[in-house]
Amino acid sequence: MHCIKQGVVLGNGVVEEKMELVELEEHLQDVRETFKSGKTRSFSWRRRQLEGLLEFLHDKEKDIFKALKQDLGKHQVEAFRDEVGVLIKSVNFALSNLKKWMSPQKVHVPLSFFPASAEVLPEPLGVVLIFSSWNFPIGLALEPLIGAISAGNAMVLKTSELAPASSNLIANSIPMYLDNKAVKVIEGGQNVGEQLLEHKWDKIFFTGSERIGRIVMMKAAKHLTPVVLELGGKCPAIVDNLSNLRDRKVAVRRIVGGKWGPCCGQACIGIDYLLVEEKFAPILIDLLKSTIKRFYVDSDNISRIVNKQHFQRLCDLLNEPSVKSSIVFGGSSDYETLKVEPTILINPPLEALIMTEEIFGPLLIEFITERPKPLAIYAFTNDENLKQRIIAETSSGSITFNDTMIQYVCDGLPFGGVGLSGIGNYHGKFSFDAFSHGKAVLRRSFLIEFVCRLSCPPLWTSIEYSTTRSPSLRLLLRRRLHRDLTSSVMGDNVKEIKKEEEKPKTEPVAVVVESSPVLQPPEKPLPGDCCGSGCVRCVWDVYYEELEAYNKSLALVSSDAKKQ
Amino acid sequence: MGENLPVFDGERAAELVAELRTAFGSRRTRSYEWRAAQLKALARMINEKEAEIMAALYSDLAKPQLESFLHEVSLTRSACLLALKELKRWMKPEKVSSSLTTFPSSAEIVSEPLGVVLIISAWNYPFILSLDPLIGAIAAGNAVVLKPSEIAPATSSFFARTLPEYLDSSAIRVVEGAVAETTALLEQKWDKIFYTGNGKVGRIVMAAAAKHLTPVVLELGGKSPVVVDSNINLEVTVKRIAVGKWGCNNGQACIAPDYIITTKAFAPKLVDAFKGILEKFYGEDPLESKDLSCIVNSNHFARLTNLLDEDKVYGKIIYGGQRDEKRLKIAPTLLFDVPQDSLIMKEEIFGPLLPIITVDKVEESFDIINSRTKPLAAYIFTKDKNLEEKFVNTVSAGGMLINDTVLHLANPNLPFGGVGDSGIGAYHGKFSFEAFSHKKGVLHRSFGGEAPARYPPYTPQKQRFLKALLNGDIISLILALIGWPKS
């Protein structure tokens, strides 16, 4: 059996699980063994899994639409736009970049290390745990999965019990498309989640609320497990006084599309409130009203609220007297279908959690920075100054100008929060990085070593490091070391290195420090020492340079001797 | 100022954080000028106070001066100068390509400071382990509290005394103290906590951070293995191991070689070479050698002698073993074939003891390493390229060094940090800057490029268009736009 079946599905969609502890243990043992076997590390394994995901998305498209309709009342265009389509794009992006991501990244080596080469090699972390959330039950489950697979991990995916149809679909289908020894789907509620958190993982990727986020991190601390937390936060959208009618229309369309389009506002990067200047507010509200009417002609085009608890929560928000009086559009809800009409409120009391505000100008930035850092800030403006101020003076997971939500599909940008909106990021290469450890690898050969020879202890007593005893030696040492350790540190400054290479005459310094009258010829590399891959500084280059330096110093020493 | 008061409790800590928040809120620390000025001042401090720094390090650890200079002062100065030199480039927003899906748009990643950060450093390299992260935090434009280790008191008080003279003390503070002070600090809300130390405290730090959803960097340790193949240049190998082990604070370094694995056949040769080199390095009576640091305090001294005195271990000493409790000195000690279940093979040694484990075939060493928690560093000495590749690909560790020890730490182009039990996150060079920055994705769109398909009311045509758009398929996109073929 590949996935763990839940027990009884209660009427409100809450799954009550009866999982045997032993069974869970078995599954974990399975994935651990699989990772240990090393098969998940190979390029071909990773590619096969990604292709499997693609197949799943193609084959099961209809089922996914059905599940999303059932869980959230999502229209299939919406389901495609926000979940299936985005996933296909992400898998394809990962597939076409996987080789590049996996290959070690060469980095510059300071001169004092020569001959050496250095690289950062991405390696899989091991067995990772992914918690997905209910608002995009397919997208938010599989998006991190793409990263975990690309990075070569074995994984357990715990789907959200609040979207039972989607959870079921994933649990039943994914094992048929992916290596079910390395990718396990576990369904269940809080109980199962807690059990999973007791185990030691190599990374925990959690999408959900701030409250649970804290618990996850607390549990992770016990095993020193790194976490990625994708949380939410109230994302503001700033709307400047757009003078151009067309701009206004476009802005409003994007706001409406971004607010009520994705899962009826139940998205972590959904617009939470609008910030508008007071005199512009009526114009904006009129436009919003007409656009909403045009877009949502029938309720089929809008998702429903996930369950009765959330529905009740929203109704309670709206029914608060001070809030109710601020409704200027919509406000009706249908308990049977769990649908809430798009609703606009103006200037609700600030302490009432829902708000639209007229604060603008200098107060605007303060208004945003006073509050916890949101996952996203949206701003509709043509004013470059305002844009720069927003970028520089506010803090948020991301900023999008003149549009909403689409930063989510931009593979080049990291997606993740800061402060209370989350820890860590993903998407595209960032997903790969989130599930990889960048292992620093430095390779040296047994050829001549400068720093080491200098720092070998027997010398230390002979060169007492003090200003009084031997200032000249100290200076010499210092210059030498300094140049080596600092100048070479200056990364890609090729000039400096060139200078260094051009002046092999400084080499005899080392000889003096060593107080050894006999010059050592460099050790000739063995035929196998050259890797044959055409390194910029091959061991042979180094050898010949050193040989030249050696010959020069030899000549210098012998001419000195002659003079004496 | 907080550091001068006798009692530093939660209340004082909260005040301190509030003050720093105000300083950070003033936006002063964000400017390039501020960051550069602080870094310059730091570099100046290192130059001007070099003698004092060396004296503090000597008083705390009896560190040989050259070692102090090489590993602490010089490396810190390099880090500082590198940050100064690269700062503009690091701060610059990074343009990234945006996809067809979001066309027309431009995207960039802006590095922004996290806010008010806490750095808790360790005693074994009390200078560099405090200032290296501090450099990163300043470069990234944060307000910082540095809590140096109380186990290296001279260096700690040096920081408390000297840093305010050089740095903007409204945004950069030093808090001295031990467990009580650290606890008070950890109760506060920070925007990042950077901790260097051991796994036990690391867990406490992370749990405290979880309460406020604060991201952490944990620089921990672990048993860093050295695999020695038989086809090597023996003299260079033992020299490099010896310098990495005893020449780095007498083994009290997080990336010091912890134990050696070699083949049964090669072990006698290796042991002989070690004996020779140790005699050459530290003389007949290593306790008298000026080139060896002492053990930091009597607790650690007792811990190390405990490791040595365990029944199944004591008989395995083949070299060294001398100790002087009064001066807290322990001689370089080699142990041969200690059992895997002994204490010394279970915990991180963090001292001058070096067990040598033997295997029949050198490849077996990889299983031994992988059966343990992931170390901070792993070393191999070999001329066999295949073995090297196998080592790199099968062994997991924070960092890896082939044919040398410890040196990878000095390359600022490599991230330095652990994985698994050896830590979370990395730093050095640009990685330090990134550790203290938030990468903010910024997407610029104009009001053009409207795709009505995004909006309801939804139709099958819109779905087809979206499909093409998300797949980045221009041809289908055009076909969908002109509505062909009719579905």
Side-chain angles (χ1 to χ4, degrees):
Chain A
M1 203 185 78
H2 36 72
C3 62
I4 292 168
K5 298 279 181 198
Q6 73 282 5
V8 196
V9 179
L10 297 180
N12 58 359
V14 177
V15 178
E16 198 182 47
E17 65 292 324
K18 290 191 183 117
M19 176 154 36
E20 296 290 328
L21 210 66
V22 191
E23 203 182 342
L24 179 69
E25 203 58 64
E26 261 170 39
H27 284 285
L28 296 188
Q29 205 50 42
D30 240 20
V31 272
R32 279 194 204 114
E33 299 273 298
T34 312
F35 180 74
K36 237 183 179 171
S37 78
K39 77 170 174 183
T40 64
R41 289 173 182 253
S42 74
F43 173 73
S44 57
W45 183 88
R46 306 186 199 193
R47 193 182 54 197
R48 250 201 331 278
Q49 305 315 308
L50 289 175
E51 284 165 356
L53 263 184
L54 216 49
E55 249 170 74
F56 163 76
L57 291 169
H58 283 302
D59 293 359
K60 300 281 174 185
E61 195 182 81
K62 292 268 140 46
D63 296 320
I64 294 173
F65 290 159
K66 220 170 85 192
L68 288 173
K69 186 92 197 163
Q70 208 175 322
D71 285 333
L72 295 150
K74 261 187 204 177
H75 189 282
Q76 70 171 51
V77 174
E78 189 186 323
F80 182 84
R81 181 193 62 199
D82 298 344
E83 307 210 40
V84 180
V86 174
L87 282 170
I88 292 174
K89 178 224 64 178
S90 294
V91 180
N92 281 327
F93 188 75
L95 270 171
S96 56
N97 288 293
L98 188 55
K99 256 247 154 83
K100 195 168 71 194
W101 293 345
M102 281 175 70
S103 58
Q105 200 190 338
K106 291 254 177 241
V107 303
H108 176 79
V109 186
L111 191 70
S112 47
F113 292 23
F114 268 123
S117 70
E119 61 191 21
V120 181
L121 179 73
E123 67 172 26
L125 292 168
V127 182
V128 300
L129 173 63
I130 298 168
F131 283 102
S132 67
S133 78
W134 52 263
N135 52 348
F136 295 89
I138 306 286
L140 292 179
L142 301 189
E143 188 76 45
L145 204 71
I146 295 169
I149 290 172
S150 309
N153 296 280
M155 68 213 74
V156 169
L157 168 66
K158 152 80 180 63
T159 50
S160 170
E161 74 279 14
L162 296 185
S166 309
S167 167
N168 248 309
L169 175 71
I170 291 179
N172 292 328
S173 310
I174 286 289
M176 297 194 292
Y177 290 89
L178 304 184
D179 177 353
N180 61 23
K181 287 278 174 209
V183 183
K184 300 267 175 191
V185 181
I186 290 183
E187 289 189 90
Q190 198 188 347
N191 194 0
V192 173
E194 275 169 15
Q195 278 179 41
L196 285 169
L197 281 176
E198 291 304 322
H199 291 84
K200 182 174 164 62
W201 303 93
D202 294 301
K203 184 114 191 183
I204 301 176
F205 189 105
F206 169 81
T207 309
S209 73
E210 199 186 298
R211 192 177 63 83
I212 312 286
R214 282 175 220 266
I215 298 173
V216 168
M217 189 168 169
M218 196 83 84
K219 295 277 186 189
K222 225 189 279 172
H223 299 292
L224 286 172
T225 304
V227 290
V228 172
L229 304 178
E230 295 288 338
L231 315 175
K234 295 177 82 69
C235 304
I238 300 158
V239 189
D240 199 0
N241 301 341
L242 300 164
S243 51
N244 186 322
L245 184 67
R246 194 181 151 273
D247 289 358
R248 277 184 201 165
K249 276 188 176 157
V250 171
V252 166
R253 245 184 298 178
R254 289 177 179 175
I255 290 168
V256 174
K259 172 69 188 175
W260 293 283
C263 209
C264 192
Q266 303 172 92
C268 47
I269 49 170
I271 297 172
D272 203 274
Y273 57 97
L274 294 180
L275 290 163
V276 209
E277 201 167 322
E278 197 161 18
K279 65 172 194 271
F280 187 59
I283 307 172
L284 188 70
I285 289 169
D286 282 344
L287 262 175
L288 279 170
K289 283 182 189 167
S290 62
T291 311
I292 292 171
K293 275 185 202 142
R294 199 150 48 81
F295 279 5
Y296 302 103
V297 275
D298 68 85
S299 67
D300 198 33
N301 279 321
I302 197 157
S303 300
R304 66 166 166 80
I305 305 304
V306 60
N307 61 24
K308 294 201 164 113
Q309 281 93 322
H310 281 273
F311 182 82
Q312 200 53 52
R313 178 181 63 87
L314 290 172
C315 292
D316 289 348
L317 283 178
L318 282 179
N319 286 336
E320 208 179 307
S322 58
V323 173
K324 199 160 191 170
S325 60
S326 62
I327 297 176
V328 291
F329 181 79
S332 65
S333 52
D334 183 348
Y335 188 76
E336 285 306 304
T337 58
L338 294 180
K339 297 238 173 181
V340 175
E341 194 186 357
T343 303
I344 304 170
L345 308 104
I346 186 160
N347 289 343
L350 280 181
E351 58 280 11
L353 288 171
I354 299 189
M355 54 210 175
T356 331
E357 251 305 273
E358 85 280 25
I359 303 170
F360 222 77
L363 277 177
L364 169 81
I365 304 280
E366 207 174 295
F367 184 85
I368 292 173
T369 49
E370 264 173 9
R371 290 172 165 66
K373 299 177 179 177
L375 189 54
I377 291 177
Y378 302 103
F380 290 86
T381 177
N382 286 318
D383 179 354
E384 287 302 320
N385 256 338
L386 182 64
K387 282 186 192 173
Q388 281 315 315
R389 282 198 64 198
I390 293 171
I391 292 178
E393 297 178 27
T394 66
S395 181
S396 60
S398 65
I399 299 178
T400 303
F401 288 109
N402 300 332
D403 211 330
T404 55
M405 313 296 284
I406 60 161
Q407 76 273 27
Y408 188 85
V409 297
C410 187
D411 293 309
L413 289 179
F415 181 84
V418 58
L420 292 185
S421 54
I423 295 178
N425 52 40
Y426 71 133
H427 280 202
K429 170 81 162 44
F430 300 98
S431 291
F432 179 84
D433 290 341
F435 289 104
S436 296
H437 161 57
K439 181 162 68 176
V441 182
L442 184 65
R443 297 168 205 258
R444 297 253 292 152
S445 78
F446 292 102
L447 293 172
I448 244 71
E449 81 263 27
F450 173 71
V451 171
C452 189
R453 242 197 281 164
L454 184 73
S455 58
C456 277
L459 296 163
W460 297 3
T461 34
S462 59
I463 340 169
E464 188 70 35
Y465 185 88
S466 86
T467 24
T468 46
R469 284 228 189 136
S470 163
S472 56
L473 190 56
R474 182 172 188 271
L475 198 72
L476 201 126
L477 231 176
R478 180 181 207 165
R479 263 204 212 134
R480 170 81 219 185
L481 279 172
H482 221 134
R483 208 188 51 232
D484 260 42
L485 290 169
T486 50
S487 78
S488 52
V489 158
M490 300 312 185
D492 30 0
N493 196 336
V494 186
K495 259 190 220 155
E496 220 156 326
I497 291 157
K498 275 225 174 104
K499 230 192 284 161
E500 197 104 358
E501 284 171 356
E502 279 161 12
K503 281 198 237 157
K505 266 184 209 148
T506 46
E507 275 318 301
V509 169
V511 180
V512 178
V513 171
E514 271 190 297
S515 63
S516 132
V518 189
L519 280 166
Q520 294 280 329
E523 192 181 337
K524 194 172 178 178
L526 295 171
D529 280 344
C530 171
C531 62
S533 56
C535 306
V536 178
R537 254 175 80 98
C538 172
V539 287
W540 288 103
D541 296 339
V542 176
Y543 169 69
Y544 285 117
E545 273 170 32
E546 277 170 350
L547 193 66
E548 199 186 336
Y550 164 72
N551 286 336
K552 271 189 192 164
S553 350
L554 206 64
L556 210 75
V557 170
S558 55
S559 69
D560 277 1
K562 266 180 211 161
K563 270 181 214 159
Q564 280 168 9
Chain B
M1 289 222 293
E3 58 269 29
N4 295 330
L5 285 171
V7 193
F8 187 86
D9 53 7
E11 215 171 292
R12 291 281 321 149
E15 273 171 41
L16 173 73
V17 175
E19 280 169 42
L20 290 182
R21 286 225 177 272
T22 319
F24 180 75
S26 77
R27 325 192 38 76
R28 194 169 59 241
T29 65
R30 290 182 184 235
S31 73
Y32 169 80
E33 289 70 27
W34 185 87
R35 307 184 199 192
Q38 304 311 309
L39 291 173
K40 270 184 202 147
L42 205 56
R44 195 157 53 83
M45 183 199 86
I46 298 170
N47 283 335
E48 290 174 5
K49 300 283 174 177
E50 195 176 296
E52 244 181 272
I53 298 164
M54 303 283 233
L57 290 172
Y58 191 80
S59 140
D60 286 334
L61 294 149
K63 232 179 229 194
Q65 290 202 306
L66 190 84
E67 220 184 288
S68 295
F69 177 74
L70 262 179
H71 298 156
E72 303 233 43
V73 178
S74 177
L75 272 181
T76 312
R77 182 164 29 207
S78 317
C80 199
L81 295 179
L82 175 75
L84 253 175
K85 181 163 178 272
E86 299 286 321
L87 188 57
K88 270 227 165 95
R89 200 175 323 168
W90 291 346
M91 285 174 70
K92 224 172 122 190
E94 182 195 342
K95 289 261 177 242
V96 298
S97 64
S98 54
S99 53
L100 177 71
T101 321
T102 59
F103 180 86
S105 67
S106 72
E108 58 181 352
I109 301 172
V110 177
S111 292
E112 66 174 28
L114 293 167
V116 183
V117 301
L118 172 66
I119 296 169
I120 304 175
S121 79
W123 54 263
N124 58 336
Y125 283 87
F127 189 72
I128 191 168
L129 292 182
S130 301
L131 293 196
D132 215 356
L134 185 71
I135 290 165
I138 293 174
N142 296 281
V144 197
V145 170
L146 167 68
K147 172 28 212 110
S149 170
E150 75 280 9
I151 299 174
T155 315
S156 170
S157 76
F158 168 80
F159 283 135
R161 204 171 55 237
T162 321
L163 280 185
E165 284 175 35
Y166 287 87
L167 303 180
D168 174 1
S169 55
S170 68
I172 302 165
R173 295 290 181 83
V174 180
V175 173
E176 284 194 275
V179 179
E181 288 80 1
T182 311
T183 312
L185 286 172
L186 283 177
E187 281 167 13
Q188 311 308 315
K189 179 176 163 56
W190 303 93
D191 295 302
K192 185 111 188 185
I193 301 176
F194 189 106
Y195 168 77
T196 310
N198 62 55
K200 204 180 109 229
V201 181
R203 287 177 169 85
I204 297 172
V205 169
M206 190 170 168
K211 241 177 260 174
H212 299 289
L213 284 172
T214 303
V216 290
V217 171
L218 303 177
E219 295 288 338
L220 314 175
K223 288 181 84 67
S224 302
V226 185
V227 177
V228 181
D229 197 3
S230 53
N231 59 358
I232 42 150
N233 181 335
L234 190 58
E235 201 205 329
V236 175
T237 302
V238 288
K239 250 192 203 171
R240 287 179 179 176
I241 296 176
V243 165
K245 176 76 178 177
W246 298 285
C248 286
N249 207 14
N250 206 3
Q252 303 172 90
C254 46
I255 51 168
D258 194 279
Y259 61 100
I260 289 178
I261 311 179
T262 190
T263 57
K264 283 204 169 62
F266 190 64
K269 269 195 204 164
L270 185 69
V271 170
D272 282 343
F274 260 123
K275 286 179 181 168
I277 211 78
L278 282 173
E279 204 140 302
K280 209 169 126 202
F281 279 5
Y282 303 109
E284 300 237 314
D285 187 0
L287 293 184
E288 296 303 321
S289 170
K290 284 181 182 161
D291 295 331
L292 276 178
S293 298
C294 66
I295 306 305
V296 64
N297 60 22
S298 52
N299 288 345
H300 279 272
F301 187 87
R303 180 183 62 82
L304 286 166
T305 49
N306 257 348
L307 294 183
L308 267 186
D309 292 345
E310 200 185 353
D311 282 342
K312 47 189 160 196
V313 171
Y314 194 71
K316 307 283 186 186
I317 299 177
I318 49 167
Y319 183 85
Q322 306 94 313
R323 58 191 93 159
D324 180 346
E325 200 174 345
K326 253 197 217 137
R327 288 183 296 158
L328 296 175
K329 290 236 169 190
I330 296 180
T333 304
L334 296 173
L335 302 109
F336 194 70
D337 254 344
V338 291
Q340 287 285 339
D341 61 344
S342 57
L343 222 50
I344 197 169
M345 283 310 292
K346 275 190 192 148
E347 51 177 84
E348 187 178 355
I349 296 173
F350 223 70
L353 323 175
L354 183 64
I356 298 172
I357 308 289
T358 55
V359 287
D360 291 324
K361 283 180 69 187
V362 73
E363 283 87 355
E364 290 167 35
S365 59
F366 301 169
D367 295 331
I368 295 182
I369 298 169
N370 282 337
S371 68
R372 307 174 153 275
T373 56
K374 296 178 180 175
L376 186 56
Y379 306 108
I380 189 169
F381 286 84
T382 182
K383 279 186 176 171
D384 178 354
K385 286 282 165 199
N386 289 333
L387 189 73
E388 179 182 322
E389 274 323 297
K390 203 175 164 211
F391 180 75
V392 168
N393 290 321
T394 53
V395 172
S396 179
M400 247 173 205
L401 186 41
I402 319 296
N403 294 332
D404 211 328
T405 61
V406 176
L407 214 59
H408 62 300
L409 163 127
N411 184 347
N413 301 316
L414 285 176
F416 180 77
V419 58
D421 280 29
S422 54
I424 295 177
Y427 72 130
H428 280 189
K430 180 154 194 214
F431 303 98
S432 293
F433 176 82
E434 284 173 357
F436 289 103
S437 297
H438 162 57
K439 285 186 163 196
K440 179 158 74 175
V442 179
L443 190 62
H444 297 264
R445 288 263 286 160
S446 69
F447 289 103
E450 267 298 82
R454 291 165 63 193
Y455 310 119
Y458 302 126
T459 61
Q461 280 76 24
K462 286 186 176 176
Q463 185 173 351
R464 220 151 62 80
F465 176 82
L466 283 169
K467 210 171 239 177
L469 189 67
L470 282 165
N471 288 340
D473 182 349
I474 296 184
I475 296 170
S476 339
L477 195 67
I478 295 166
L479 288 180
L481 271 173
I482 59 173
W484 187 86
K486 301 255 186 283
S487 47

